[in-house]
Amino acid sequence: MTITDSFVLLAATFLIVGVLTTKFSSRLGVPSLVLFIMVGIIMGSDVLGIIYFDNAQIAQMIGILALIIILFEGGIQTSWKSVKSVMVPSLSLATLGVLLTSGIVAVAAKFILDIGWLQSILFGAIVGSTDAAAVFAVLKGQNIKPKISATLEAESGSNDPMAVLLTISAIELIMNPNANVFGMIGLFIVQIVVGLLLGLVFGKLAVFALNRINLDSSGLYPVFAIAFALLTYGFTAFLNGSGLLAVYIAAIIIGNAETIAYKHSIFRFSEGFAWMMQILMFVILGLLVFPSHLFTWDILFKGLIMSLILMLVARPIAVYLSTLKMGYTRNEVIFLSWAGLKGAVPIVLATYPLLAEVDGSSLIFNVVFFVVLTSCLIHGSTITILAKKLGLTGPKKTTPMHTLELVSLGKADAEMLEYEIEDDAEVVGETLIDIPFPEGALVNAIIRNDKLVTPTGNTVIEAGDFLYVLTSRKNTNKIKKLLEKKKIQEKVIEIETV
């Protein structure tokens, strides 16, 4: 068997095992991310010895590529309406929260890990942010209240610039003690501003291009969208902006566009691609670690202490101060404190000091890896239970799978509009014949409790129904406004006569 054949066989094995682990992870009560990492560890040189892998640069490259895809998929699934309402606290957590978490952890690392102050600051910077891949994976399909889930998703999607800046700045100060600190602060501001602006620009450009281009195959539209995600990151990074932030902003714009060609195809393709990259990334990161170096009594003890400080001290203090007087209840603050999941980002950032050959980089990497493993195991397996205990869960909603996209912009001046009917919608209890749909609009199907209902004029609309309406492009907004219209609560005012 040639090297190419062996590579193909291993890639297939990784994907199959990765997909199967997602099937059993919920039954085992263990997040799939942990199982992906364990697959890499088991197949690595210290256990089965199937693959010897110690190239931090390749791991970093694969990790960043995977994060681009994962952030893009998370962004297009994010509701701007939900994120907009929690934008201030999310940004506060993504900046001040990361800074406070990193600072508290750095002080603890100085004495527990017995390393220099700059190395301690570096360690704190690496583990200070929540991880988008872990947060999106754990929250996906859960019924956490929208305000809380939106806060966590927006925080994890936008806190990478702070974590990257702190990490690179710490490495720069270690390697060059005379480095300009104020210049680093200026670089951070430039990264944020450039990332935001280019995210907006590329997001709008992607929507325009997807709706105007007429490709020969519908399968090319999702590829075209992913290409825009990669282009957004690459161009933004080239201009010294935050590429990951730009990708997340662009994805939100694409996902919340009123009309976009082959929207459901793009969503489904991105979801599958993100899962594939997630499996690949965590397996590779698992291969990068050597259990004989990681699972020593010294690393286990120090890593456990650092994990407890991060989970029970640093994150709670940072969340409390970052969301002070922002309208969060005590239970919500407790949940946000506990849901600060660590994942791929800290491990990818831990490869930076390895590549820069910073003193103590191996110790930092191993402890970071243990902290991430602990966070995924403890946080990931208890987050839903805690949400229920704190009363932060809402009604379970199941979105039906899209099996066919009949028509789309670019091929015809029409599209299939999907809309979920909310409990307080005015159309609830109305028959289809009584709803004033625009001329030419046709309700093709209704999904109710995961079952298909063939609509007729006498079909009564119920809360939770998914309506599939075939309509012309010009009537899309009219139909959305019609279905979004809320019931007017009639108030009876008793007038007392004297």
Side-chain angles (χ1 to χ4, degrees):
M1 182 179 285
T2 64
I3 295 177
T4 302
D5 295 335
S6 300
F7 176 78
V8 172
L9 179 60
L10 283 172
T13 304
F14 284 153
L15 290 176
I16 290 173
V17 172
V19 171
L20 291 178
T21 56
T22 63
K23 178 69 175 177
F24 297 107
S25 62
S26 57
R27 297 181 184 178
L28 297 173
V30 178
S32 56
L33 308 182
V34 176
L35 298 180
F36 297 156
I37 291 176
M38 295 309 297
V39 168
I41 291 176
I42 291 170
M43 290 190 171
S45 56
D46 269 7
V47 184
L48 296 181
I50 297 175
I51 300 175
Y52 180 87
F53 181 78
D54 64 351
N55 194 318
Q57 188 167 14
I58 292 178
Q60 184 185 105
M61 181 179 67
I62 292 174
I64 291 174
L65 179 62
L67 287 172
I68 295 170
I69 304 302
I70 292 166
L71 275 172
F72 178 75
E73 190 271 337
I76 62 175
Q77 300 283 359
T78 299
S79 167
W80 170 243
K81 184 179 178 181
S82 300
V83 170
K84 184 169 61 174
S85 62
V86 296
M87 185 60 69
V88 173
S90 297
L91 291 178
S92 178
L93 286 167
T95 50
L96 179 62
V98 173
L99 194 60
L100 289 171
T101 303
S102 301
I104 296 171
V105 171
V107 173
K110 165 62 181 170
F111 300 101
I112 294 171
L113 301 183
D114 192 25
I115 52 180
W117 275 112
L118 288 178
Q119 281 84 355
S120 301
I121 293 172
L122 173 61
F123 180 87
I126 290 172
V127 299
S129 64
T130 58
D131 180 64
V135 170
F136 291 152
V138 171
L139 294 183
K140 187 182 291 292
Q142 302 299 330
N143 56 334
I144 310 296
K145 285 190 174 180
K147 176 185 176 182
I148 305 302
S149 59
T151 302
L152 287 170
E153 290 175 0
E155 177 200 359
S156 63
S158 59
N159 66 5
D160 293 320
M162 176 62 81
V164 172
L165 171 77
L166 291 175
T167 300
I168 293 176
S169 298
I171 292 174
E172 181 68 21
L173 287 172
I174 292 171
M175 306 304 291
N176 180 18
N178 297 321
N180 188 346
V181 177
F182 293 103
M184 296 177 184
I185 297 174
L187 177 63
F188 171 71
I189 295 173
V190 169
Q191 283 191 327
I192 295 294
V193 173
V194 173
L196 284 171
L197 290 177
L198 290 183
L200 290 169
V201 170
F202 277 100
K204 295 288 186 182
L205 183 61
V207 172
F208 176 81
L210 286 166
N211 285 337
R212 294 304 175 94
I213 195 169
N214 192 356
L215 299 174
D216 294 332
S217 172
S218 60
L220 290 174
Y221 285 86
V223 177
F224 195 52
I226 292 294
F228 261 98
L230 298 174
L231 178 64
T232 301
Y233 176 88
F235 193 80
T236 306
F238 179 74
L239 295 180
N240 294 321
S242 173
L244 295 177
L245 177 62
V247 169
Y248 186 62
I249 297 298
I252 291 177
I253 292 174
I254 295 171
N256 288 270
E258 291 184 354
T259 54
I260 186 169
Y262 292 98
K263 184 175 184 178
H264 298 317
S265 297
I266 292 172
F267 277 34
R268 298 286 77 78
F269 178 85
S270 300
E271 184 179 20
F273 196 16
W275 270 112
M276 186 179 77
M277 294 305 297
Q278 194 165 258
I279 292 170
L280 175 64
M281 174 176 62
F282 281 100
V283 169
I284 290 293
L285 295 177
L287 287 171
L288 187 63
V289 71
F290 288 79
S292 59
H293 300 163
L294 177 65
F295 298 113
T296 63
W297 287 113
D298 184 57
I299 296 296
L300 291 177
F301 176 73
K302 292 179 178 179
L304 183 59
I305 297 298
M306 292 306 306
S307 296
L308 292 175
I309 290 173
L310 178 60
M311 291 188 289
L312 302 179
V313 181
R315 171 72 179 179
I317 291 175
V319 169
Y320 175 76
L321 294 177
S322 300
T323 59
L324 197 61
K325 296 183 179 180
M326 291 188 182
Y328 288 90
T329 65
R330 185 187 66 175
N331 284 357
E332 289 172 341
V333 171
I334 292 173
F335 183 78
L336 289 173
S337 301
W338 189 249
L341 283 93
K342 309 304 172 188
V345 169
I347 300 177
V348 172
L349 289 179
T351 62
Y352 282 68
L354 284 176
L355 294 174
E357 298 181 351
V358 172
D359 290 339
S361 58
S362 295
L363 172 65
I364 290 173
F365 179 84
N366 287 325
V367 177
V368 166
F369 195 96
F370 186 83
V371 168
V372 169
L373 204 58
T374 307
S375 176
C376 287
L377 275 170
I378 298 177
H379 284 147
S381 59
T382 58
I383 191 170
T384 305
I385 298 172
L386 182 63
K388 291 178 180 178
K389 292 288 186 182
L390 297 175
L392 298 177
T393 55
K396 188 78 173 178
K397 292 184 178 180
T398 304
T399 303
M401 296 294 292
H402 305 288
T403 56
L404 180 64
E405 190 153 19
L406 296 176
V407 230
S408 178
L409 297 176
K411 292 295 183 183
D413 187 23
E415 68 173 309
M416 187 70 75
L417 176 67
E418 175 208 19
Y419 194 87
E420 181 183 7
I421 304 299
E422 298 182 357
D423 296 347
D424 56 351
E426 191 178 71
V427 296
V428 172
E430 298 284 334
T431 59
L432 285 177
I433 199 170
D434 293 328
I435 301 175
F437 284 107
E439 185 178 355
L442 178 65
V443 178
N444 289 79
I446 299 176
I447 302 297
R448 180 177 298 163
N449 298 324
D450 293 331
K451 294 181 180 179
L452 174 66
V453 175
T454 303
T456 65
N458 295 322
T459 301
V460 178
I461 301 300
E462 297 181 8
D465 283 353
F466 284 86
L467 268 60
Y468 290 84
V469 187
L470 182 61
T471 181
S472 62
R473 179 179 174 182
K474 65 180 180 181
N475 288 330
T476 300
N477 290 333
K478 292 181 183 178
I479 294 176
K480 285 184 178 180
K481 289 179 181 178
L482 175 65
L483 298 178
E484 288 173 355
K485 194 174 181 182
K486 307 298 181 184
K487 289 181 179 179
I488 300 175
Q489 301 294 329
E490 295 183 359
K491 296 182 180 180
V492 179
I493 304 175
E494 294 182 2
I495 302 176
E496 295 183 1
T497 57
V498 181

